[in-house]
Amino acid sequence: LLKQHLQNTQSSDQRLDDFLSAIQVSPNGVLLLDANGQIEWCNATAAEHFGLDAKADVSQHIGNLVRDPVFAAYLSEGDFTHDVKIAGKNNSHARPCRLAVQIHPYGLGRKLLLSNDITAVELSELMRRDFVANVSHEIRTPLTVLSGFVESLQTWPVNDLERDEYLGLMAQQANRME
C-alpha cells in the first residue's frame, strides 16, 4: 500500500509539473490569487506583463503591485464579467505596451487573472482608422471639385470652350480619384 501510495503521489506530482510547464509557456499571463487577492503563483508572461518577480512577489497583494487606476477600480468593483485595458509595465511613448486583463473567480474566493498583450491589435486598428480617414479625405477632395463642376454645368449657361475646360478638369479629378 505504501509503495502504491508513493507511485500515485509521484504520478500526481508529475502531472502537476506538466500542467505548470504548459501554463508557463503560455503567451498569456496567468496569475493565481487567493481569496485575499494575494499572488499564489504566476507564469513568466504575467511576470513580464506586470513587472513582477515570480518568486519574490508571491503572497503580495496584486493591488499593491499593479498600480494602474483602471485596474484598481476593476479590482475593487468586483464585476469581472468584462476585461479592462491597461498599460503594461514596460509601456512608453516610444514603445507602447497595452494589456487586456480579466479576472475569473473560482473555488472559494480564489481568482484566476489572465493578461493578454493587445499592443499589436491596437496599433493595427489605429493604422486601419488612419488609412480609412486618409482614403476618405483623398476621395472627398476631388469629389467636391467634380460636384462643383457638375452643378455649374447644370445651372449656368456656358459656352463650348468653358464646357470643354470644365470637362477636362472633371476628367483630371476623376483620374485622381481612380
Side-chain angles (χ1 to χ4, degrees):
L1 286 172
L2 186 59
K3 187 175 183 180
Q4 181 64 35
H5 179 69
L6 181 61
Q7 286 176 340
N8 288 344
T9 302
Q10 288 174 339
S11 176
S12 293
D13 288 347
Q14 182 60 47
R15 282 192 307 246
L16 178 61
D17 287 344
D18 289 346
F19 179 74
L20 291 176
S21 295
I23 293 177
Q24 197 62 260
V25 298
S26 170
N28 296 319
V30 179
L31 280 111
L32 299 179
L33 305 174
D34 68 12
N36 297 318
Q38 295 174 317
I39 298 172
E40 292 183 328
W41 183 86
C42 74
N43 69 353
T45 305
E48 181 184 335
H49 284 173
F50 299 109
L52 304 175
D53 182 322
K55 291 189 187 338
D57 289 332
V58 168
S59 296
Q60 295 295 316
H61 192 278
I62 190 67
N64 294 337
L65 300 173
V66 180
R67 308 289 288 183
D68 187 286
V70 173
F71 179 75
Y74 176 70
L75 191 60
S76 66
E77 180 180 286
D79 176 14
F80 306 129
T81 58
H82 63 284
D83 65 356
V84 291
K85 293 170 179 56
I86 64 172
K89 185 66 175 178
N90 297 322
N91 184 56
S92 69
H93 183 69
R95 193 176 152 131
C97 177
R98 298 280 296 157
L99 302 174
V101 178
Q102 187 164 9
I103 293 175
H104 301 275
Y106 73 99
L108 299 174
R110 299 174 78 193
K111 297 172 187 75
L112 171 68
L113 187 151
L114 299 176
S115 62
N116 185 18
D117 187 338
I118 58 169
T119 307
V121 172
E122 287 195 348
L123 287 175
S124 67
E125 177 60 21
L126 178 63
M127 287 178 12
R128 185 198 64 78
R129 280 194 313 264
D130 287 348
F131 175 76
V132 169
N134 287 336
V135 168
S136 175
H137 174 74
E138 290 300 321
I139 289 175
R140 258 189 306 217
T141 302
L143 192 56
T144 302
V145 172
L146 280 172
S147 295
F149 282 126
V150 168
E151 184 180 324
S152 296
L153 289 172
Q154 288 175 337
T155 58
W156 296 347
V158 293
N159 61 40
D160 288 345
L161 184 62
E162 290 174 322
R163 185 180 49 84
D164 290 344
E165 181 183 351
Y166 289 169
L167 289 174
L169 291 170
M170 290 170 68
Q172 284 178 345
Q173 294 303 317
N175 286 335
R176 180 175 170 204
M177 283 195 320
E178 195 177 299

